Amino acid sequence: QKKIVIIGAGVVGCSTAYYLNKMGQRNITVIEQGPLFETGGSTSHAPGLVFQLGFSKVLTTLASQTVEAFKELSHEGQPSFYSVGSLEVANTQERLDDLKRKAGVAKSWGMETFVLSPEECAQKNPLLNSDNIYGGLYVPSDGIAKPLRAVDQMAHFSKSCGTKFYGHTEVTDIEVVDDQVKSVETSAGRFEADLIICCAGFWGPRIGEMVGVTIPLQPIAHQYVFSNDLQELGAETEEVSMPIIRHQDSAMYYRQVFNGIGIGSYQHRALPVEVSEITKYGEAKEMPSVKPFTPEDFEKPWEDAQELIPALKQAGVKRGINGIFSFTPDGMPLLGESQKVRGFWAAEAIWVTHSAGVGKEMAEWIVNGAPTLDLELCDINRFDTYAQSPAYYKKRSIENYEKVYDIHHPFMQPESSRDMRVSPYYMRQQSLGAYFNEKSGWEQPQWFEANDSLVATYEKNILERKGWAAQYWSPIIEAEHLHTRQYAGLYDVTAVKKRLEISGEGALEFLQHLTTSTIDIPIGQVTSTLMLHELAGIKDEIKVIRTAASTFFVLCTGAVEASWIKKQVPVSSRVVIQDLTNGMCGLSVIGGKASEIMNSLDSQAFVKSEWEIGQAKEGFIGNVPVLAVYDSYGGTERWELFTTSDQGLKLWDVLFEAGRPYQIIAAGDRALESLRIESLSLRNGKDFWSEHNPYEVGLDHLVDLNKPTFIGKQALLDRKANGPNLLLTPLLLDDPSMVVMGYEPVFDEDKVAGFVTSAGYAYNFGKGIVYALLSPETVHKSSQLSIEYFGKRYTATRMTQSAVRAHQ
Ligand code: FAD
């Protein structure tokens, strides 16, 4: 039994203790600086609105898990969750369209929702003025959580299992020896710990500082107001019986509180609070998480509130607070063990909405070695060094606060803290009119205005996008795609993967244990392989290049995967992992003329017939040292070239010059992605994630079951024997003028059978193409399916195995 210390007895700390106990952990201590359990943290005054549907599957699932858990936790006969439903109302046609899209996403994630007319909205909540409403999204299973009641019950259970709760006890320091936590210093003495879980809410950054780990969150005050009693609710005796309301067009939300209304507003300017400014419990009249109300910030929201709920006019405002809670640079929680300090775990920046789900997944992660849900998007290690400065994450978190109720397009870009990382060719890309998006801090060209003239050349093949799909899109993307196939494209792949060098005594054995296929390959050979976690879910598909007997160059998806690899190295091992990402850059020459271009650069070194697909060589292009990898991409040839950052600009210029006679163009990431989807290649995080095993997503050819051991092997054998839960399957849309965007529900007759992962356009078929994760029954029985897009169904045909093979 590990000695586990949890810092913070808010809803997150108590949920985590509860689930750890449920999973048999019996040596748990919870330390809380405030009183138990109305501690003065954010949980103490959260109004508890639960809108489960989030923009990601993981947040939606964490919310559904929380609702299920809270429903089971009644306190002295009073429920911890009121299933009163929710209504999200639209003031514009654009918002209504977005609600239809959200209704589709909800179906993909298995949630029941209804798009209602204005009249139906008013029937659900008679206080609503439906005159200016276009419609609403109704989610019957949403409602109001009572986190303090749930906390009380969860703590009661934990205590019965032996967990000790210490109130009025402040954690003042943490002892770390050899990068491993050892103990917690508190105002009441020292507590030994093998594992510490930081559930300190917006105080998290202060705890992180004790161990040198950045907890990149910004506390922000947010206005919540109580109205006086409404005549219309005069006879009401229940705390809440009406659906909660979200009005995103005015960035506000509403709930009934007995005879009055609770009103939350995100409309006001962001009100960031420094952790150092936060009072201690008892120091001020209000709780530490409450700042004085600023009425001037509520003037316009109050007007909007009366417009939406006219009965508020007569009632007026009773009181308000500026309550503090946490925001992060990407709006997602911060979960998991820090890669810097073993045994230091975080469960931070979590709403009540996701709290019990987080507690459950954290417990599974700690006890089983992996959570059931894929938590990549929430992993605390997802931020590279570029994102560790307060200057970066504070600005970004504030921007997130301001946009929290905006319509979120998948390609919408952050505006603050840009230009954090640029590749050596950035200035060339700018002069070619690159349209940049940010990826892991890198400015990554999406397409180039310099290629505008190609649109006319390929016009008759380009499918014009409409509506939602036309936003953040340009026909140049399609022209770059088509031109690459015929001639060649020069792609900046600096941001696409992380570059690691794994070397030293035992490097081969380490990689053999880490991956599912053999890594004992000849020097100069490349292999694609999988890393599985302990429960056989896919952590990543990686590329390993052996550059010397004990040195391997590894390309993995991102910071989370890189940190996971590092964590697998045993403490006593002599294996060295160096992250070369910042010091190296990458360029890909892709397309029909790619090999001719390479050959024109060096007719000795780049003779196509002397290279096998999947071969790598170190050498020079002119005087630029490169690691060159030859393989195929999107059904055409690809030369991937890596060099040090100081040589990158030169490499760009040399390749561009050599490619000129072959009509090479600089092309952007969207064309690269389009080529990938068209050729049915898979991408980690998009088409599969750690909830899936290789048999479910068609990556079992990368598994060698004859290998004596690898991480997750036994679990994989078990999962193989049990059969797949889902199967990744390509579909072609029947209507040649249709494309979808991803995450739409797929129907088998009238039943939701799964959802779309990647979506694009297959030029060689002249049709929209998607991958979908479908139920095995559907895959075995049905070939005609339909995809719901903005509330309408479009038929799609499942591709047969032979069609897929011929296509790839
Ligand atoms: P907290 O409840 O803050 O708990 C952290 C605990 O750690 C505190 O009790 C603190 O005292 C303790 N601690 C910190 N440092 C130390 C230390 N050094 N030693 C010992 N103990 C320490 N969420 C929703 O889902 N729906 C809503 O409708 C909603 N509305 C909100 C409205 C307002 C006005 C506010 C402020 C928040 C709202 N939230 C809502 C957000 C939600 O309340 C929080 O995200 C959630 O309660 C955070 O829970 P927690 O356990 O992480 O943090």
Side-chain angles (χ1 to χ4, degrees):
Q1 290 269 332
K2 284 187 175 133
K3 282 181 229 128
I4 300 175
V5 171
I6 296 175
I7 305 173
V11 69
V12 175
C14 289
S15 297
T16 307
Y18 174 69
Y19 281 102
L20 281 167
N21 274 304
K22 280 196 146 191
M23 293 189 74
Q25 294 300 305
R26 289 291 179 266
N27 198 342
I28 303 171
T29 307
V30 182
I31 297 177
E32 168 55 52
Q33 64 188 4
L36 299 171
F37 285 96
E38 211 168 327
T39 65
S42 307
T43 307
S44 305
H45 53 74
L49 288 89
V50 175
F51 296 95
Q52 296 165 84
L53 181 57
F55 50 81
S56 61
K57 182 171 183 285
V58 60
L59 285 187
T60 308
T61 311
L62 290 170
S64 310
Q65 290 177 346
T66 303
V67 168
E68 287 316 307
F70 278 27
K71 277 192 195 161
E72 303 287 310
L73 294 165
S74 68
H75 173 68
E76 293 171 1
Q78 292 191 298
S80 293
F81 191 78
Y82 292 96
S83 300
V84 291
S86 75
L87 257 182
E88 193 170 326
V89 292
N91 254 163
T92 60
Q93 186 57 45
E94 192 194 6
R95 181 70 72 177
L96 186 64
D97 288 344
D98 189 42
L99 294 185
K100 287 182 187 159
R101 183 187 63 87
K102 279 182 162 178
V105 174
K107 286 176 196 151
S108 295
W109 306 158
M111 261 176 78
E112 191 185 37
T113 57
F114 302 90
V115 178
L116 303 186
S117 67
E119 296 72 32
E120 288 168 325
C121 290
Q123 274 165 17
K124 289 278 174 216
N125 191 326
L127 295 174
L128 271 179
N129 167 15
S130 57
D131 290 354
N132 297 330
I133 292 176
Y134 281 64
L137 182 70
Y138 177 59
V139 183
S141 58
D142 281 349
I144 288 290
K146 298 294 291 178
L148 288 180
R149 288 182 196 163
V151 158
D152 204 83
Q153 284 310 293
M154 291 191 286
H156 182 72
F157 173 80
S158 297
K159 281 180 195 165
S160 74
C161 299
T163 294
K164 298 214 164 43
F165 287 83
Y166 293 84
H168 294 294
T169 305
E170 186 186 353
V171 172
T172 51
D173 205 359
I174 294 172
E175 184 193 8
V176 176
V177 177
D178 294 335
D179 298 330
Q180 161 71 46
V181 298
K182 281 283 172 233
S183 70
V184 170
E185 287 297 336
T186 77
S187 51
R190 181 174 177 272
F191 293 81
E192 285 188 2
D194 302 315
L195 204 145
I196 293 170
I197 313 173
C198 176
C199 303
F202 54 77
W203 287 270
R206 193 182 278 168
I207 305 289
E209 273 171 28
M210 296 176 191
V211 287
V213 171
T214 306
I215 307 273
L217 64 80
Q218 172 65 49
I220 298 186
H222 156 69
Q223 291 202 308
Y224 185 67
V225 166
F226 295 87
S227 80
N228 289 311
D229 288 354
L230 273 61
Q231 278 176 1
E232 288 75 356
L233 293 173
E236 186 60 69
T237 50
E238 281 277 325
E239 175 173 345
V240 53
S241 56
M242 290 181 167
I244 57 176
I245 298 170
R246 185 148 65 172
H247 186 219
Q248 307 232 127
D249 294 311
S250 68
M252 294 176 74
Y253 61 82
Y254 304 82
R255 61 156 290 190
Q256 176 201 349
V257 191
F258 293 104
N259 309 99
I261 299 289
I263 308 162
S265 165
Y266 288 101
Q267 211 184 91
H268 56 83
R269 68 201 157 107
L271 299 163
V273 181
E274 291 309 311
V275 181
S276 55
E277 285 172 34
I278 295 163
T279 52
K280 286 200 171 171
Y281 194 89
E283 269 179 8
K285 195 169 121 261
E286 293 281 12
M287 289 181 182
S289 52
V290 174
K291 299 287 268 182
F293 185 59
T294 49
E296 66 277 18
D297 293 311
F298 200 66
E299 283 168 14
K300 176 72 173 65
W302 178 239
E303 278 173 29
D304 292 342
Q306 295 169 85
E307 167 81 32
L308 190 72
I309 302 184
L312 283 170
K313 273 186 201 144
Q314 211 190 13
V317 172
K318 182 157 65 180
R319 67 182 175 93
I321 58 165
N322 286 6
I324 310 170
F325 67 115
S326 311
F327 274 76
T328 57
D330 56 5
M332 298 297 280
L334 305 164
L335 307 180
E337 187 184 22
S338 150
Q339 66 160 329
K340 251 180 148 181
V341 180
R342 284 177 199 258
F344 184 77
W345 290 68
E348 286 288 335
I350 298 147
W351 292 26
V352 170
T353 300
H354 310 111
S355 54
V358 165
K360 173 177 172 291
E361 297 296 330
M362 289 290 290
E364 286 174 359
W365 201 346
I366 289 166
V367 176
N368 297 337
T372 310
L373 256 189
D374 179 87
L375 295 178
E376 160 120 14
L377 294 175
C378 311
D379 196 308
I380 188 166
N381 300 306
R382 67 188 179 275
F383 300 105
D384 262 312
T385 42
Y386 78 92
Q388 304 284 321
S389 75
Y392 168 83
Y393 65 75
K394 282 174 184 245
K395 264 197 215 146
R396 219 14 114 66
S397 304
I398 288 170
E399 182 179 348
N400 258 318
Y401 178 90
E402 285 163 352
K403 290 183 173 168
V404 70
Y405 271 10
D406 284 4
I407 295 174
H408 288 268
H409 190 280
F411 289 111
M412 190 168 123
Q413 285 296 294
E415 286 153 38
S416 62
S417 302
R418 293 295 297 261
D419 290 343
M420 298 300 296
R421 304 168 102 180
V422 295
S423 64
Y425 349 106
Y426 184 56
M427 61 176 99
R428 297 283 186 269
Q429 294 165 343
Q430 279 179 313
S431 64
L432 291 169
Y435 176 90
F436 290 101
N437 273 9
E438 187 224 51
K439 182 171 187 266
S440 310
W442 295 98
E443 292 298 330
Q444 194 185 34
Q446 302 300 294
W447 65 83
F448 291 87
E449 287 302 325
N451 297 327
D452 190 32
S453 59
L454 293 178
V455 173
T457 314
Y458 296 103
E459 198 170 15
K460 67 175 188 334
N461 289 317
I462 293 176
L463 178 73
E464 197 57 39
R465 305 292 204 262
K466 293 180 216 99
W468 183 257
Q471 291 180 32
Y472 305 95
W473 175 85
S474 163
I476 298 171
I477 298 167
E478 317 301 317
E480 289 177 359
H481 171 140
L482 291 161
H483 190 83
T484 297
R485 278 220 178 288
Q486 204 172 339
Y487 299 99
L490 182 62
Y491 290 86
D492 177 0
V493 291
T494 305
V496 174
K497 297 274 176 190
K498 269 238 166 221
R499 297 168 280 285
L500 306 178
E501 189 183 80
I502 302 183
S503 61
E505 195 186 317
L508 174 63
E509 293 71 20
F510 170 69
L511 278 164
Q512 289 283 39
H513 181 58
L514 192 77
T515 62
T516 55
S517 50
T518 187
I519 300 300
D520 196 2
I521 49 178
I523 294 168
Q525 204 164 316
V526 183
T527 187
S528 285
T529 184
L530 301 177
M531 305 189 299
L532 307 183
H533 65 37
E534 284 75 356
L535 309 179
I538 304 171
K539 273 309 281 184
D540 202 4
E541 182 185 355
I542 60 171
K543 210 181 253 187
V544 181
I545 302 162
R546 193 170 196 173
T547 52
S550 283
T551 308
F552 300 85
F553 185 68
V554 173
L555 295 166
C556 67
T557 295
V560 172
E561 290 74 14
S563 78
W564 190 82
I565 294 174
K566 286 179 198 162
K567 272 198 221 132
Q568 307 313 309
V569 181
V571 177
S572 54
S573 163
R574 305 180 79 147
V575 171
V576 178
I577 301 185
Q578 244 191 307
D579 189 340
L580 305 179
T581 309
N582 295 345
M584 283 188 97
C585 56
L587 281 171
S588 281
V589 182
I590 304 176
K593 303 281 179 198
S595 288
E596 286 177 58
I597 294 170
M598 294 305 292
N599 188 256
S600 76
L601 280 163
D602 187 332
S603 57
Q604 303 274 298
F606 297 108
V607 183
K608 191 175 141 183
S609 57
E610 288 177 15
W611 283 72
E612 283 168 29
I613 289 278
Q615 207 181 354
K617 287 183 194 171
E618 285 177 304
F620 290 90
I621 291 180
N623 48 18
V624 179
V626 291
L627 171 65
V629 183
Y630 174 58
D631 64 5
S632 70
Y633 186 87
T636 180
E637 286 175 310
R638 167 169 73 173
W639 293 85
E640 221 169 355
L641 304 157
F642 298 97
T643 189
T644 51
S645 295
D646 57 334
Q647 303 279 317
L649 185 59
K650 188 155 214 178
L651 183 62
W652 173 282
D653 287 342
V654 169
L655 291 171
F656 215 83
E657 223 21 68
R660 218 179 274 278
Y662 301 91
Q663 301 196 46
I664 198 169
I665 53 164
D669 193 60
R670 295 282 290 278
L672 194 67
E673 185 63 358
S674 177
L675 285 161
R676 176 188 77 76
I677 298 165
E678 183 186 39
S679 68
L680 293 170
S681 309
L682 308 186
R683 200 177 104 196
N684 182 19
K686 189 79 183 154
D687 303 301
F688 62 87
W689 45 92
S690 67
E691 286 158 35
H692 310 120
N693 70 55
Y695 297 99
E696 292 172 326
V697 297
L699 287 175
D700 46 309
H701 60 283
L702 301 180
V703 178
D704 177 4
L705 286 176
N706 294 321
K707 237 176 127 170
T709 67
F710 54 80
I711 300 172
K713 182 174 175 189
Q714 188 51 52
L716 182 65
L717 291 170
D718 295 345
R719 283 174 76 164
K720 184 180 181 211
N722 291 338
N725 288 326
L726 289 165
L727 285 171
L728 189 69
T729 313
L731 311 173
L732 285 172
L733 280 137
D734 295 336
D735 176 349
S737 68
M738 260 315 285
V739 276
V740 296
M741 300 279 293
Y743 302 140
E744 294 82 6
V746 179
F747 285 80
D748 182 359
E749 294 177 355
D750 273 335
K751 219 172 113 237
V752 178
F755 60 89
V756 171
T757 58
S758 290
Y761 193 75
Y763 284 95
N764 43 0
F765 284 109
K767 285 182 174 174
I769 192 165
V770 304
Y771 257 123
L773 278 165
L774 300 177
S775 72
E777 305 81 73
T778 290
V779 174
H780 293 137
K781 108 177 179 328
S782 314
S783 58
Q784 272 311 117
L785 302 158
S786 61
I787 300 175
E788 189 180 293
Y789 186 66
F790 284 89
K792 284 197 187 141
R793 300 262 182 96
Y794 298 89
T795 55
T797 305
R798 194 163 55 77
M799 288 177 78
T800 59
Q801 281 300 328
S802 52
V804 173
R805 253 177 260 122
H807 187 62
Q808 284 169 329

